Amino acid sequence: EKPAQKAADLNEILSERGACGVGFVANLKNEPSFNIVRDALVALGCMEHRGGCGADNDSGDGSGLMSGIPWDLFNDWANKQGLAPLDRTNTGVGMVFLPQDENSMEEAKAVVAKVFTDEGLEVLGWRTVPFNVSVVGRYAKETMPNIQQIFVKVAKEDNADDIERELYICRKLIERATKSASWADELYFCSLSSRTIVYKGMLRSEILGQFYLDLQNELYKSPFAIYHRRYSTNTSPRWPLAQPMRLLGHNGEINTIQGNLNWMRSREATLQSPVWRGREHEIRPFGDPKASDSANLDSTAELLLRSGRSPAEAMMILVPEAYKNHPTLSIKYPEVIDFYDYYKGQMEAWDGPALLLFSDGRTVGACLDRNGLRPARYWRTSDDFVYVASEVGVIPMDESKVVMKGRLGPGMMITVDLQTGQVLENTEVKKSVASANPYGSWLQ
């Protein structure tokens, strides 16, 4: 006799899905420490079961870490090089994947330096990033780039946002200047910023911290860290596709990507903002059909951010919640509905399933798209740390210290403002973004 057919349990189905492992650790007092980096690496190591792995067992789909810039570590290096201490406010740091071939690498470095110099930035120096190649898998080693950091001084701007914008323009100009080079695909900026830096690679998660020796150095201090372990379902692993990207760590896939890319392309001629001072044409194209869905979402979010949006606002525009007939919003926060309606006509949703972790170095946050098919839990401790993770139990936690905990539901968001130490849970984030402008009357 056949056993009765049991109905499929949704939770069981969802728990079987392959999904990336992501999370962040942030300190509300904005105090940089090496412990935060170590905690993030421990959590990342626990995510190994989440990741895809090459047949050689050592080449992962990719893992990475985004943090604040470890100035103590870089100043120690600068000192040994006989350089003046780096000015934290207007020094940009680029984490660069360069061509494997020695001659191509020198050519690439020359083009990069020339673009910076032509833009009026001073190239302070290149630093070869120390690593341990013995932990890298065979496939990853065959495609491994030369990894260096470039330090540039942005003297002509003093506003922090303008400095980030200037670095963004430089990166776009470099992409344009190298487009026809034979090694064009081998030059990639993991990050170029005066606030954040990304260490990543085609590595399994527990290998990341063994590979990059900087991540074992006590001088590497940051007030936050976002970590990511990749499980790629729709693009083959490559070094540049490891995450976090320049702004986001993305767990999921964007199922509307073709339409999103086409829409972005169709807007290229018309998008403008006074913050670019007439240089919009220099930062196109905005999308790249050859890149992954995560990379394209990242570059669109970055475009909004550099155009003067806050990270939370950019995420609300790109990944709106299901706001129609939403009981809480209609009654308590009609201004949030106005916000979504206002942007609906300007930006189509980038739909997942997707959990997104993001930071611009001042805010760290996480949001879940409206499908809500990715678990995300968050908790805050009495000693002023906030954690978000796609799994529970990745960091040993003293339960008695937990003062707040929750999980993100569909369309929900949480943000941590490193400068004020504020943690905003979902409706508080939405309310503060939506009430910044009179969207209702603009709609009318």
Side-chain angles (χ1 to χ4, degrees), residues 295-326:
N296 277 296
L297 175 61
D298 181 72
S299 46
T300 308
E302 190 185 28
L303 175 70
L304 288 174
L305 189 80
R306 296 289 165 247
S307 300
R309 313 288 180 167
S310 71
E313 183 186 5
M315 298 322 297
M316 281 171 66
I317 292 172
L318 291 169
V319 190
E321 62 192 303
Y323 63 94
K324 289 272 194 255
N325 309 322
H326 188 300

mmCIF file of all heavy atoms in Angstrom, residues 295-326:
data_model
loop_
_atom_site.group_PDB
_atom_site.id
_atom_site.type_symbol
_atom_site.label_atom_id
_atom_site.label_comp_id
_atom_site.label_asym_id
_atom_site.label_seq_id
_atom_site.Cartn_x
_atom_site.Cartn_y
_atom_site.Cartn_z
ATOM 1 N N ALA A 295 25.899 42.580 -10.745
ATOM 2 C CA ALA A 295 26.797 43.684 -11.090
ATOM 3 C C ALA A 295 26.007 44.842 -11.699
ATOM 4 O O ALA A 295 26.294 46.007 -11.445
ATOM 5 C CB ALA A 295 27.871 43.212 -12.066
ATOM 6 N N ASN A 296 24.980 44.520 -12.489
ATOM 7 C CA ASN A 296 24.182 45.574 -13.104
ATOM 8 C C ASN A 296 23.293 46.292 -12.099
ATOM 9 O O ASN A 296 23.133 47.507 -12.149
ATOM 10 C CB ASN A 296 23.349 45.004 -14.252
ATOM 11 C CG ASN A 296 24.165 44.920 -15.535
ATOM 12 O OD1 ASN A 296 24.596 45.936 -16.072
ATOM 13 N ND2 ASN A 296 24.408 43.715 -16.008
ATOM 14 N N LEU A 297 22.734 45.528 -11.173
ATOM 15 C CA LEU A 297 21.942 46.160 -10.116
ATOM 16 C C LEU A 297 22.856 47.078 -9.301
ATOM 17 O O LEU A 297 22.498 48.206 -8.953
ATOM 18 C CB LEU A 297 21.327 45.090 -9.210
ATOM 19 C CG LEU A 297 20.559 45.612 -7.991
ATOM 20 C CD1 LEU A 297 19.380 46.468 -8.411
ATOM 21 C CD2 LEU A 297 20.085 44.466 -7.117
ATOM 22 N N ASP A 298 24.058 46.592 -9.031
ATOM 23 C CA ASP A 298 25.032 47.364 -8.261
ATOM 24 C C ASP A 298 25.368 48.672 -8.978
ATOM 25 O O ASP A 298 25.388 49.733 -8.361
ATOM 26 C CB ASP A 298 26.300 46.522 -8.068
ATOM 27 C CG ASP A 298 27.354 47.241 -7.251
ATOM 28 O OD1 ASP A 298 27.160 47.383 -6.036
ATOM 29 O OD2 ASP A 298 28.381 47.660 -7.819
ATOM 30 N N SER A 299 25.609 48.607 -10.295
ATOM 31 C CA SER A 299 26.016 49.847 -10.966
ATOM 32 C C SER A 299 24.850 50.830 -11.077
ATOM 33 O O SER A 299 25.056 52.040 -11.067
ATOM 34 C CB SER A 299 26.679 49.592 -12.323
ATOM 35 O OG SER A 299 25.964 48.674 -13.066
ATOM 36 N N THR A 300 23.622 50.311 -11.139
ATOM 37 C CA THR A 300 22.470 51.227 -11.161
ATOM 38 C C THR A 300 22.290 51.884 -9.794
ATOM 39 O O THR A 300 22.047 53.092 -9.693
ATOM 40 C CB THR A 300 21.187 50.463 -11.556
ATOM 41 O OG1 THR A 300 21.442 49.744 -12.766
ATOM 42 C CG2 THR A 300 20.036 51.419 -11.782
ATOM 43 N N ALA A 301 22.443 51.097 -8.735
ATOM 44 C CA ALA A 301 22.341 51.654 -7.380
ATOM 45 C C ALA A 301 23.438 52.691 -7.176
ATOM 46 O O ALA A 301 23.215 53.758 -6.595
ATOM 47 C CB ALA A 301 22.464 50.532 -6.351
ATOM 48 N N GLU A 302 24.623 52.377 -7.681
ATOM 49 C CA GLU A 302 25.755 53.281 -7.525
ATOM 50 C C GLU A 302 25.503 54.597 -8.273
ATOM 51 O O GLU A 302 25.825 55.682 -7.767
ATOM 52 C CB GLU A 302 27.013 52.595 -8.072
ATOM 53 C CG GLU A 302 28.290 53.329 -7.758
ATOM 54 C CD GLU A 302 29.504 52.682 -8.412
ATOM 55 O OE1 GLU A 302 29.363 52.043 -9.483
ATOM 56 O OE2 GLU A 302 30.590 52.835 -7.850
ATOM 57 N N LEU A 303 24.914 54.493 -9.456
ATOM 58 C CA LEU A 303 24.598 55.699 -10.235
ATOM 59 C C LEU A 303 23.641 56.607 -9.448
ATOM 60 O O LEU A 303 23.833 57.815 -9.355
ATOM 61 C CB LEU A 303 23.965 55.304 -11.576
ATOM 62 C CG LEU A 303 23.474 56.467 -12.439
ATOM 63 C CD1 LEU A 303 24.647 57.264 -12.990
ATOM 64 C CD2 LEU A 303 22.596 55.961 -13.577
ATOM 65 N N LEU A 304 22.608 56.003 -8.843
ATOM 66 C CA LEU A 304 21.649 56.787 -8.053
ATOM 67 C C LEU A 304 22.336 57.413 -6.849
ATOM 68 O O LEU A 304 22.119 58.572 -6.505
ATOM 69 C CB LEU A 304 20.493 55.895 -7.586
ATOM 70 C CG LEU A 304 19.494 55.457 -8.658
ATOM 71 C CD1 LEU A 304 18.493 54.471 -8.081
ATOM 72 C CD2 LEU A 304 18.756 56.659 -9.236
ATOM 73 N N LEU A 305 23.178 56.608 -6.204
ATOM 74 C CA LEU A 305 23.872 57.079 -5.009
ATOM 75 C C LEU A 305 24.800 58.255 -5.330
ATOM 76 O O LEU A 305 24.759 59.292 -4.666
ATOM 77 C CB LEU A 305 24.686 55.927 -4.424
ATOM 78 C CG LEU A 305 25.291 56.210 -3.068
ATOM 79 C CD1 LEU A 305 24.244 56.034 -1.994
ATOM 80 C CD2 LEU A 305 26.444 55.273 -2.793
ATOM 81 N N ARG A 306 25.595 58.098 -6.379
ATOM 82 C CA ARG A 306 26.538 59.159 -6.751
ATOM 83 C C ARG A 306 25.808 60.396 -7.278
ATOM 84 O O ARG A 306 26.369 61.466 -7.351
ATOM 85 C CB ARG A 306 27.533 58.656 -7.804
ATOM 86 C CG ARG A 306 28.433 57.528 -7.313
ATOM 87 C CD ARG A 306 29.465 57.998 -6.292
ATOM 88 N NE ARG A 306 30.055 56.847 -5.606
ATOM 89 C CZ ARG A 306 29.879 56.577 -4.315
ATOM 90 N NH1 ARG A 306 29.132 57.357 -3.564
ATOM 91 N NH2 ARG A 306 30.451 55.531 -3.769
ATOM 92 N N SER A 307 24.535 60.208 -7.674
ATOM 93 C CA SER A 307 23.762 61.355 -8.156
ATOM 94 C C SER A 307 23.075 62.070 -6.997
ATOM 95 O O SER A 307 22.216 62.926 -7.219
ATOM 96 C CB SER A 307 22.731 60.907 -9.195
ATOM 97 O OG SER A 307 23.389 60.307 -10.294
ATOM 98 N N GLY A 308 23.431 61.697 -5.784
ATOM 99 C CA GLY A 308 22.935 62.440 -4.634
ATOM 100 C C GLY A 308 21.851 61.765 -3.810
ATOM 101 O O GLY A 308 21.287 62.353 -2.903
ATOM 102 N N ARG A 309 21.525 60.505 -4.119
ATOM 103 C CA ARG A 309 20.522 59.789 -3.317
ATOM 104 C C ARG A 309 21.177 59.162 -2.101
ATOM 105 O O ARG A 309 22.355 58.825 -2.139
ATOM 106 C CB ARG A 309 19.898 58.642 -4.120
ATOM 107 C CG ARG A 309 19.483 59.019 -5.498
ATOM 108 C CD ARG A 309 18.281 59.881 -5.439
ATOM 109 N NE ARG A 309 17.843 60.283 -6.774
ATOM 110 C CZ ARG A 309 16.669 60.831 -6.987
ATOM 111 N NH1 ARG A 309 15.842 61.018 -5.980
ATOM 112 N NH2 ARG A 309 16.328 61.206 -8.194
ATOM 113 N N SER A 310 20.376 58.918 -1.073
ATOM 114 C CA SER A 310 20.910 58.142 0.052
ATOM 115 C C SER A 310 20.803 56.666 -0.334
ATOM 116 O O SER A 310 19.998 56.303 -1.191
ATOM 117 C CB SER A 310 20.080 58.398 1.310
ATOM 118 O OG SER A 310 18.810 57.776 1.179
ATOM 119 N N PRO A 311 21.607 55.806 0.306
ATOM 120 C CA PRO A 311 21.519 54.374 -0.018
ATOM 121 C C PRO A 311 20.104 53.819 0.153
ATOM 122 O O PRO A 311 19.614 53.088 -0.701
ATOM 123 C CB PRO A 311 22.479 53.726 0.979
ATOM 124 C CG PRO A 311 23.463 54.789 1.320
ATOM 125 C CD PRO A 311 22.697 56.080 1.275
ATOM 126 N N ALA A 312 19.420 54.200 1.239
ATOM 127 C CA ALA A 312 18.070 53.669 1.479
ATOM 128 C C ALA A 312 17.112 54.120 0.375
ATOM 129 O O ALA A 312 16.288 53.348 -0.112
ATOM 130 C CB ALA A 312 17.556 54.125 2.845
ATOM 131 N N GLU A 313 17.237 55.382 -0.031
ATOM 132 C CA GLU A 313 16.375 55.916 -1.083
ATOM 133 C C GLU A 313 16.622 55.182 -2.399
ATOM 134 O O GLU A 313 15.683 54.795 -3.103
ATOM 135 C CB GLU A 313 16.671 57.412 -1.236
ATOM 136 C CG GLU A 313 15.811 58.127 -2.240
ATOM 137 C CD GLU A 313 16.254 59.576 -2.448
ATOM 138 O OE1 GLU A 313 17.287 59.994 -1.877
ATOM 139 O OE2 GLU A 313 15.570 60.273 -3.192
ATOM 140 N N ALA A 314 17.894 54.966 -2.726
ATOM 141 C CA ALA A 314 18.228 54.251 -3.965
ATOM 142 C C ALA A 314 17.623 52.851 -3.956
ATOM 143 O O ALA A 314 17.059 52.395 -4.957
ATOM 144 C CB ALA A 314 19.742 54.178 -4.135
ATOM 145 N N MET A 315 17.715 52.164 -2.811
ATOM 146 C CA MET A 315 17.178 50.801 -2.740
ATOM 147 C C MET A 315 15.650 50.804 -2.845
ATOM 148 O O MET A 315 15.058 49.922 -3.453
ATOM 149 C CB MET A 315 17.604 50.102 -1.435
ATOM 150 C CG MET A 315 19.105 49.918 -1.243
ATOM 151 S SD MET A 315 20.049 49.516 -2.713
ATOM 152 C CE MET A 315 19.361 47.954 -3.143
ATOM 153 N N MET A 316 15.002 51.822 -2.251
ATOM 154 C CA MET A 316 13.536 51.899 -2.341
ATOM 155 C C MET A 316 13.082 52.159 -3.778
ATOM 156 O O MET A 316 12.056 51.660 -4.214
ATOM 157 C CB MET A 316 13.000 53.002 -1.418
ATOM 158 C CG MET A 316 12.937 52.587 0.042
ATOM 159 S SD MET A 316 12.560 54.002 1.137
ATOM 160 C CE MET A 316 10.871 54.417 0.647
ATOM 161 N N ILE A 317 13.864 52.948 -4.518
ATOM 162 C CA ILE A 317 13.509 53.228 -5.913
ATOM 163 C C ILE A 317 13.674 51.962 -6.757
ATOM 164 O O ILE A 317 12.830 51.632 -7.592
ATOM 165 C CB ILE A 317 14.408 54.356 -6.480
ATOM 166 C CG1 ILE A 317 14.087 55.688 -5.786
ATOM 167 C CG2 ILE A 317 14.227 54.494 -7.993
ATOM 168 C CD1 ILE A 317 15.061 56.823 -6.134
ATOM 169 N N LEU A 318 14.761 51.217 -6.513
ATOM 170 C CA LEU A 318 15.076 50.059 -7.358
ATOM 171 C C LEU A 318 14.300 48.802 -6.964
ATOM 172 O O LEU A 318 13.922 48.007 -7.814
ATOM 173 C CB LEU A 318 16.579 49.752 -7.282
ATOM 174 C CG LEU A 318 17.502 50.781 -7.926
ATOM 175 C CD1 LEU A 318 18.943 50.496 -7.558
ATOM 176 C CD2 LEU A 318 17.322 50.771 -9.433
ATOM 177 N N VAL A 319 14.117 48.630 -5.660
ATOM 178 C CA VAL A 319 13.501 47.383 -5.162
ATOM 179 C C VAL A 319 12.319 47.747 -4.268
ATOM 180 O O VAL A 319 12.387 47.618 -3.052
ATOM 181 C CB VAL A 319 14.543 46.554 -4.369
ATOM 182 C CG1 VAL A 319 14.009 45.162 -4.068
ATOM 183 C CG2 VAL A 319 15.851 46.446 -5.142
ATOM 184 N N PRO A 320 11.212 48.242 -4.878
ATOM 185 C CA PRO A 320 10.081 48.700 -4.067
ATOM 186 C C PRO A 320 9.363 47.535 -3.400
ATOM 187 O O PRO A 320 9.453 46.402 -3.867
ATOM 188 C CB PRO A 320 9.171 49.370 -5.101
ATOM 189 C CG PRO A 320 9.483 48.682 -6.385
ATOM 190 C CD PRO A 320 10.949 48.341 -6.323
ATOM 191 N N GLU A 321 8.663 47.831 -2.302
ATOM 192 C CA GLU A 321 7.864 46.773 -1.686
ATOM 193 C C GLU A 321 6.519 46.681 -2.408
ATOM 194 O O GLU A 321 6.202 47.510 -3.267
ATOM 195 C CB GLU A 321 7.679 47.038 -0.194
ATOM 196 C CG GLU A 321 6.945 48.311 0.157
ATOM 197 C CD GLU A 321 7.058 48.650 1.639
ATOM 198 O OE1 GLU A 321 6.673 47.802 2.463
ATOM 199 O OE2 GLU A 321 7.509 49.763 1.967
ATOM 200 N N ALA A 322 5.718 45.684 -2.053
ATOM 201 C CA ALA A 322 4.382 45.566 -2.643
ATOM 202 C C ALA A 322 3.498 46.538 -1.882
ATOM 203 O O ALA A 322 2.912 46.194 -0.867
ATOM 204 C CB ALA A 322 3.883 44.123 -2.492
ATOM 205 N N TYR A 323 3.422 47.768 -2.358
ATOM 206 C CA TYR A 323 2.820 48.832 -1.550
ATOM 207 C C TYR A 323 1.335 49.072 -1.823
ATOM 208 O O TYR A 323 0.658 49.750 -1.066
ATOM 209 C CB TYR A 323 3.595 50.151 -1.755
ATOM 210 C CG TYR A 323 3.550 50.675 -3.171
ATOM 211 C CD1 TYR A 323 2.589 51.607 -3.550
ATOM 212 C CD2 TYR A 323 4.450 50.216 -4.125
ATOM 213 C CE1 TYR A 323 2.536 52.076 -4.847
ATOM 214 C CE2 TYR A 323 4.401 50.678 -5.424
ATOM 215 C CZ TYR A 323 3.446 51.613 -5.785
ATOM 216 O OH TYR A 323 3.392 52.064 -7.075
ATOM 217 N N LYS A 324 0.820 48.504 -2.909
ATOM 218 C CA LYS A 324 -0.595 48.722 -3.229
ATOM 219 C C LYS A 324 -1.469 47.999 -2.195
ATOM 220 O O LYS A 324 -1.189 46.849 -1.850
ATOM 221 C CB LYS A 324 -0.905 48.149 -4.613
ATOM 222 C CG LYS A 324 -0.292 48.963 -5.753
ATOM 223 C CD LYS A 324 -1.219 50.072 -6.182
ATOM 224 C CE LYS A 324 -0.801 50.679 -7.501
ATOM 225 N NZ LYS A 324 -0.182 51.991 -7.373
ATOM 226 N N ASN A 325 -2.545 48.675 -1.746
ATOM 227 C CA ASN A 325 -3.475 48.087 -0.762
ATOM 228 C C ASN A 325 -2.753 47.550 0.472
ATOM 229 O O ASN A 325 -3.155 46.548 1.043
ATOM 230 C CB ASN A 325 -4.280 46.928 -1.383
ATOM 231 C CG ASN A 325 -4.933 47.340 -2.681
ATOM 232 O OD1 ASN A 325 -5.390 48.474 -2.789
ATOM 233 N ND2 ASN A 325 -4.955 46.458 -3.659
ATOM 234 N N HIS A 326 -1.685 48.212 0.852
ATOM 235 C CA HIS A 326 -0.903 47.758 2.001
ATOM 236 C C HIS A 326 -1.529 48.401 3.244
ATOM 237 O O HIS A 326 -1.501 49.619 3.387
ATOM 238 C CB HIS A 326 0.539 48.239 1.815
ATOM 239 C CG HIS A 326 1.508 47.707 2.811
ATOM 240 N ND1 HIS A 326 1.376 47.921 4.152
ATOM 241 C CD2 HIS A 326 2.642 46.976 2.644
ATOM 242 C CE1 HIS A 326 2.394 47.350 4.780
ATOM 243 N NE2 HIS A 326 3.165 46.775 3.883
#
